[in-house]
Amino acid sequence: MRLLYRSIWTIIFFAGMYGTACAGVEDAISSPKIQHPLPDISGDFDMLTIPLKRVQNLFLIEARIDSMEGNFILDTGAPYLVLNKTYFRNGRLQDGVFAYGVSGGGNKVMQTTVDSLQIGALTFTGVSADIVNLGHIEDARGVKILGLLGASLFSELELVIDARQSVLYIYKLDKEGNRIWNGDTLPGPKLSLNLEQVHDILFLEAESGKKKLRFCFDTGAEVNLLSNSVSNKVLEHFVLNGTGALTGTGSNTVGTLRGTLSTLEIQDHTFRDMPFLLTNLSNLQLAYDVLFDGVLGYSLLSEGIVVLNIKKKKLDVYFYTDNE
């Protein structure tokens, strides 16, 4: 049986403070031996401005798959394109390949190739994709979701995510990973991080309680997750607010503790009282075939303008000021 090492892209149902569903940190997904070829990229632009639709803490992009147009989740926790089985039914079932996540897994996955994916003037052709059931995301959010836009789609581009303005800027890059067009700058303080890329998943380093931590950076994660196996020195900084449960696409649930980390250091910047769900991440670690300590998503995006350059494996944050 092969495990899938692909994303944290399935929905979380959180019984607790939110009283509803939180998306984006669940079923992980395809063996690194199963390679999805990168699509061809074309388009007459150096920089694109793409509106982001915000549904609670999810960011949606309007895009077109062949003749079908609709909403896609911007999800760097997914390694590539994922399509909703409700609307895309023609695919090849992968024998012995299953999806796994926080609460376990076992869902079968189909794969397909679409002729084109269009985001504004940006066109991807010959795009390999997984087909899974994303109906639970639609039900939880009351919005039609055609799929997820994963990290590898943007491996030759630079993304600038401005959560406050609900806008995404997409830049073309040269062979060295630099912007072709440099007509704008971002003033103000900046956090600049080196990213680690494992099985097409992006990780960054942090620290709490003088213990180093590895977090998955996932733009599709509405809530942060922290492994309950972290050092006691880290847990000393975890302030408990309540309890809850995570439920994936199946019936399995895992318990969580809701709270905040009083301090989380990323490079030379200290984030205070950042919200986390404390839970068992062993299923995700097994699925990814990599040890890590948690997931960072919307909470980081809400701190400032985020610049993601996967080609250079760089993540920059330009912090919002009080008057923005």
Side-chain angles (χ1 to χ4, degrees):
M1 180 185 295
R2 290 198 303 268
L3 291 181
L4 290 170
Y5 306 104
R6 201 166 293 154
S7 99
I8 317 176
W9 38 248
T10 313
I11 194 139
I12 291 176
F13 291 100
F14 172 45
M17 179 177 70
Y18 300 95
T20 178
C22 299
V25 200
E26 238 303 279
D27 286 347
I29 325 304
S30 162
S31 166
K33 297 179 181 178
I34 303 174
Q35 297 295 324
H36 282 220
L38 292 178
D40 294 326
I41 298 175
S42 61
D44 186 16
F45 71 94
D46 289 333
M47 187 273 286
L48 282 180
T49 303
I50 304 296
L52 292 174
K53 303 176 185 177
R54 181 176 168 184
V55 179
Q56 294 192 26
N57 291 340
L58 279 181
F59 289 106
L60 309 181
I61 295 174
E62 188 169 302
R64 177 185 294 271
I65 291 282
D66 295 336
S67 61
M68 188 175 298
E69 188 170 356
N71 297 315
F72 290 78
I73 297 174
L74 179 62
D75 189 357
T76 59
Y80 33 76
L81 180 65
V82 178
L83 299 177
N84 191 347
K85 187 178 180 180
T86 302
Y87 312 107
F88 302 91
R89 296 187 174 274
N90 296 323
R92 305 175 300 278
L93 188 64
Q94 301 300 296
D95 292 336
V97 179
F98 301 90
Y100 288 82
V102 173
S103 60
N107 298 314
K108 293 183 178 180
V109 175
M110 294 192 298
Q111 293 180 344
T112 190
T113 301
V114 298
D115 292 334
S116 68
L117 165 65
Q118 292 181 287
I119 305 172
L122 171 62
T123 300
F124 303 90
T125 53
V127 189
S128 181
D130 289 342
I131 302 176
V132 300
N133 182 9
L134 300 179
H136 46 287
I137 299 180
E138 296 183 299
D139 293 342
R141 289 292 173 259
V143 61
K144 182 177 178 179
I145 303 293
L146 296 187
L148 315 174
L149 302 176
S152 68
L153 289 172
F154 307 104
S155 59
E156 299 296 319
L157 301 162
E158 184 174 273
L159 304 183
V160 178
I161 305 167
D162 188 340
R164 285 196 180 179
Q165 299 300 321
S166 296
V167 65
L168 170 71
Y169 301 99
I170 301 177
Y171 292 85
K172 278 187 179 178
L173 303 175
D174 60 23
K175 292 182 179 180
E176 287 71 41
N178 299 313
R179 293 181 188 177
I180 294 174
W181 184 68
N182 285 301
D184 56 1
T185 58
L186 289 171
K190 183 177 75 170
L191 181 65
S192 187
L193 306 172
N194 293 319
L195 294 174
E196 179 186 11
Q197 191 171 11
V198 183
H199 306 319
D200 289 321
I201 304 299
L202 303 173
F203 296 91
L204 59 86
E205 288 187 357
E207 186 174 302
S208 185
K210 297 185 178 180
K211 290 294 183 179
K212 291 185 178 180
L213 300 169
R214 175 196 269 173
F215 286 98
C216 169
F217 174 63
D218 183 2
T219 59
E222 292 191 273
V223 292
N224 300 325
L225 296 185
L226 182 67
S227 171
N228 58 12
S229 65
V230 296
S231 166
N232 285 337
K233 290 187 178 296
V234 176
L235 294 178
E236 288 174 0
H237 293 264
F238 184 78
V239 180
L240 179 65
N241 294 328
T243 62
L246 300 179
T247 303
T249 53
S251 59
N252 295 335
T253 62
V254 294
T256 71
L257 297 176
R258 185 181 71 249
T260 60
L261 269 183
S262 58
T263 59
L264 179 68
E265 292 85 28
I266 300 180
Q267 206 174 71
D268 58 354
H269 185 83
T270 299
F271 295 90
R272 304 212 177 263
D273 301 324
M274 184 172 278
F276 278 91
L277 300 183
L278 183 69
T279 190
N280 188 335
L281 296 183
S282 59
N283 284 313
L284 280 183
Q285 292 171 345
L286 176 64
Y288 282 168
D289 193 30
V290 60
L291 294 176
F292 64 102
D293 302 293
V295 178
L296 287 176
Y298 176 79
S299 292
L300 183 58
L301 295 176
S302 66
E303 292 284 341
I305 297 173
V306 172
V307 181
L308 176 62
N309 189 318
I310 299 175
K311 192 177 183 70
K312 286 188 171 183
K313 296 182 174 61
K314 296 285 292 184
L315 180 72
D316 294 343
V317 181
Y318 295 81
F319 293 106
Y320 295 123
T321 59
D322 292 338
N323 57 3
E324 286 184 289

PDB file of all heavy atoms in Angstrom, residues 266-278:
ATOM      1  N   ILE A 266       9.955  33.797  14.930  1.00  0.00           N
ATOM      2  CA  ILE A 266      10.342  33.432  13.565  1.00  0.00           C
ATOM      3  C   ILE A 266      11.433  34.405  13.159  1.00  0.00           C
ATOM      4  O   ILE A 266      11.184  35.601  13.021  1.00  0.00           O
ATOM      5  CB  ILE A 266       9.157  33.499  12.589  1.00  0.00           C
ATOM      6  CG1 ILE A 266       8.042  32.539  13.029  1.00  0.00           C
ATOM      7  CG2 ILE A 266       9.608  33.137  11.175  1.00  0.00           C
ATOM      8  CD1 ILE A 266       6.825  32.528  12.133  1.00  0.00           C
ATOM      9  N   GLN A 267      12.617  33.867  13.015  1.00  0.00           N
ATOM     10  CA  GLN A 267      13.819  34.666  12.802  1.00  0.00           C
ATOM     11  C   GLN A 267      13.954  35.678  13.947  1.00  0.00           C
ATOM     12  O   GLN A 267      14.009  35.287  15.097  1.00  0.00           O
ATOM     13  CB  GLN A 267      13.798  35.326  11.427  1.00  0.00           C
ATOM     14  CG  GLN A 267      15.174  35.636  10.853  1.00  0.00           C
ATOM     15  CD  GLN A 267      15.057  36.160   9.435  1.00  0.00           C
ATOM     16  OE1 GLN A 267      14.608  37.288   9.210  1.00  0.00           O
ATOM     17  NE2 GLN A 267      15.452  35.345   8.483  1.00  0.00           N
ATOM     18  N   ASP A 268      13.988  36.979  13.651  1.00  0.00           N
ATOM     19  CA  ASP A 268      14.176  37.970  14.714  1.00  0.00           C
ATOM     20  C   ASP A 268      12.871  38.641  15.119  1.00  0.00           C
ATOM     21  O   ASP A 268      12.875  39.656  15.805  1.00  0.00           O
ATOM     22  CB  ASP A 268      15.191  39.035  14.285  1.00  0.00           C
ATOM     23  CG  ASP A 268      14.784  39.754  13.008  1.00  0.00           C
ATOM     24  OD1 ASP A 268      13.772  39.350  12.392  1.00  0.00           O
ATOM     25  OD2 ASP A 268      15.470  40.711  12.606  1.00  0.00           O
ATOM     26  N   HIS A 269      11.724  38.067  14.719  1.00  0.00           N
ATOM     27  CA  HIS A 269      10.423  38.652  15.055  1.00  0.00           C
ATOM     28  C   HIS A 269       9.667  37.732  16.012  1.00  0.00           C
ATOM     29  O   HIS A 269       9.635  36.518  15.827  1.00  0.00           O
ATOM     30  CB  HIS A 269       9.588  38.878  13.797  1.00  0.00           C
ATOM     31  CG  HIS A 269       8.290  39.588  14.069  1.00  0.00           C
ATOM     32  ND1 HIS A 269       8.194  40.963  14.176  1.00  0.00           N
ATOM     33  CD2 HIS A 269       7.043  39.111  14.283  1.00  0.00           C
ATOM     34  CE1 HIS A 269       6.951  41.294  14.428  1.00  0.00           C
ATOM     35  NE2 HIS A 269       6.231  40.197  14.502  1.00  0.00           N
ATOM     36  N   THR A 270       9.067  38.322  17.033  1.00  0.00           N
ATOM     37  CA  THR A 270       8.283  37.563  18.004  1.00  0.00           C
ATOM     38  C   THR A 270       6.793  37.809  17.787  1.00  0.00           C
ATOM     39  O   THR A 270       6.324  38.946  17.832  1.00  0.00           O
ATOM     40  CB  THR A 270       8.651  37.948  19.446  1.00  0.00           C
ATOM     41  OG1 THR A 270      10.039  37.663  19.676  1.00  0.00           O
ATOM     42  CG2 THR A 270       7.815  37.158  20.447  1.00  0.00           C
ATOM     43  N   PHE A 271       6.064  36.745  17.522  1.00  0.00           N
ATOM     44  CA  PHE A 271       4.605  36.805  17.422  1.00  0.00           C
ATOM     45  C   PHE A 271       4.036  36.438  18.786  1.00  0.00           C
ATOM     46  O   PHE A 271       4.436  35.439  19.388  1.00  0.00           O
ATOM     47  CB  PHE A 271       4.095  35.816  16.370  1.00  0.00           C
ATOM     48  CG  PHE A 271       4.540  36.129  14.971  1.00  0.00           C
ATOM     49  CD1 PHE A 271       5.725  35.608  14.480  1.00  0.00           C
ATOM     50  CD2 PHE A 271       3.775  36.947  14.153  1.00  0.00           C
ATOM     51  CE1 PHE A 271       6.142  35.883  13.188  1.00  0.00           C
ATOM     52  CE2 PHE A 271       4.187  37.228  12.860  1.00  0.00           C
ATOM     53  CZ  PHE A 271       5.366  36.695  12.379  1.00  0.00           C
ATOM     54  N   ARG A 272       3.095  37.231  19.264  1.00  0.00           N
ATOM     55  CA  ARG A 272       2.540  37.016  20.592  1.00  0.00           C
ATOM     56  C   ARG A 272       1.088  36.553  20.514  1.00  0.00           C
ATOM     57  O   ARG A 272       0.307  37.033  19.706  1.00  0.00           O
ATOM     58  CB  ARG A 272       2.646  38.290  21.425  1.00  0.00           C
ATOM     59  CG  ARG A 272       4.082  38.809  21.512  1.00  0.00           C
ATOM     60  CD  ARG A 272       4.354  39.497  22.814  1.00  0.00           C
ATOM     61  NE  ARG A 272       5.761  39.921  22.900  1.00  0.00           N
ATOM     62  CZ  ARG A 272       6.708  39.251  23.508  1.00  0.00           C
ATOM     63  NH1 ARG A 272       6.420  38.103  24.104  1.00  0.00           N
ATOM     64  NH2 ARG A 272       7.952  39.709  23.544  1.00  0.00           N
ATOM     65  N   ASP A 273       0.790  35.578  21.363  1.00  0.00           N
ATOM     66  CA  ASP A 273      -0.580  35.064  21.515  1.00  0.00           C
ATOM     67  C   ASP A 273      -1.168  34.616  20.185  1.00  0.00           C
ATOM     68  O   ASP A 273      -2.311  34.935  19.843  1.00  0.00           O
ATOM     69  CB  ASP A 273      -1.471  36.124  22.159  1.00  0.00           C
ATOM     70  CG  ASP A 273      -0.968  36.546  23.519  1.00  0.00           C
ATOM     71  OD1 ASP A 273      -0.441  35.679  24.244  1.00  0.00           O
ATOM     72  OD2 ASP A 273      -1.063  37.749  23.848  1.00  0.00           O
ATOM     73  N   MET A 274      -0.405  33.850  19.425  1.00  0.00           N
ATOM     74  CA  MET A 274      -0.900  33.330  18.147  1.00  0.00           C
ATOM     75  C   MET A 274      -1.780  32.110  18.409  1.00  0.00           C
ATOM     76  O   MET A 274      -1.402  31.208  19.151  1.00  0.00           O
ATOM     77  CB  MET A 274       0.266  32.974  17.228  1.00  0.00           C
ATOM     78  CG  MET A 274      -0.162  32.515  15.841  1.00  0.00           C
ATOM     79  SD  MET A 274       1.231  32.319  14.686  1.00  0.00           S
ATOM     80  CE  MET A 274       1.457  34.025  14.159  1.00  0.00           C
ATOM     81  N   PRO A 275      -2.989  32.047  17.813  1.00  0.00           N
ATOM     82  CA  PRO A 275      -3.911  30.934  18.083  1.00  0.00           C
ATOM     83  C   PRO A 275      -3.446  29.624  17.445  1.00  0.00           C
ATOM     84  O   PRO A 275      -2.933  29.608  16.325  1.00  0.00           O
ATOM     85  CB  PRO A 275      -5.224  31.417  17.466  1.00  0.00           C
ATOM     86  CG  PRO A 275      -4.811  32.381  16.404  1.00  0.00           C
ATOM     87  CD  PRO A 275      -3.573  33.058  16.917  1.00  0.00           C
ATOM     88  N   PHE A 276      -3.650  28.533  18.167  1.00  0.00           N
ATOM     89  CA  PHE A 276      -3.309  27.195  17.678  1.00  0.00           C
ATOM     90  C   PHE A 276      -4.321  26.196  18.191  1.00  0.00           C
ATOM     91  O   PHE A 276      -4.939  26.381  19.254  1.00  0.00           O
ATOM     92  CB  PHE A 276      -1.923  26.762  18.185  1.00  0.00           C
ATOM     93  CG  PHE A 276      -0.770  27.295  17.401  1.00  0.00           C
ATOM     94  CD1 PHE A 276      -0.185  28.498  17.759  1.00  0.00           C
ATOM     95  CD2 PHE A 276      -0.277  26.606  16.308  1.00  0.00           C
ATOM     96  CE1 PHE A 276       0.887  29.006  17.046  1.00  0.00           C
ATOM     97  CE2 PHE A 276       0.798  27.099  15.593  1.00  0.00           C
ATOM     98  CZ  PHE A 276       1.390  28.298  15.956  1.00  0.00           C
ATOM     99  N   LEU A 277      -4.474  25.103  17.430  1.00  0.00           N
ATOM    100  CA  LEU A 277      -5.128  23.903  17.920  1.00  0.00           C
ATOM    101  C   LEU A 277      -4.033  22.888  18.196  1.00  0.00           C
ATOM    102  O   LEU A 277      -3.223  22.575  17.323  1.00  0.00           O
ATOM    103  CB  LEU A 277      -6.114  23.335  16.892  1.00  0.00           C
ATOM    104  CG  LEU A 277      -7.272  24.230  16.452  1.00  0.00           C
ATOM    105  CD1 LEU A 277      -8.175  23.466  15.499  1.00  0.00           C
ATOM    106  CD2 LEU A 277      -8.052  24.737  17.645  1.00  0.00           C
ATOM    107  N   LEU A 278      -3.988  22.373  19.407  1.00  0.00           N
ATOM    108  CA  LEU A 278      -2.996  21.382  19.804  1.00  0.00           C
ATOM    109  C   LEU A 278      -3.595  19.999  19.578  1.00  0.00           C
ATOM    110  O   LEU A 278      -4.635  19.664  20.141  1.00  0.00           O
ATOM    111  CB  LEU A 278      -2.630  21.572  21.271  1.00  0.00           C
ATOM    112  CG  LEU A 278      -1.537  20.660  21.833  1.00  0.00           C
ATOM    113  CD1 LEU A 278      -0.178  21.014  21.236  1.00  0.00           C
ATOM    114  CD2 LEU A 278      -1.491  20.783  23.362  1.00  0.00           C
TER     115      LEU A 278
END
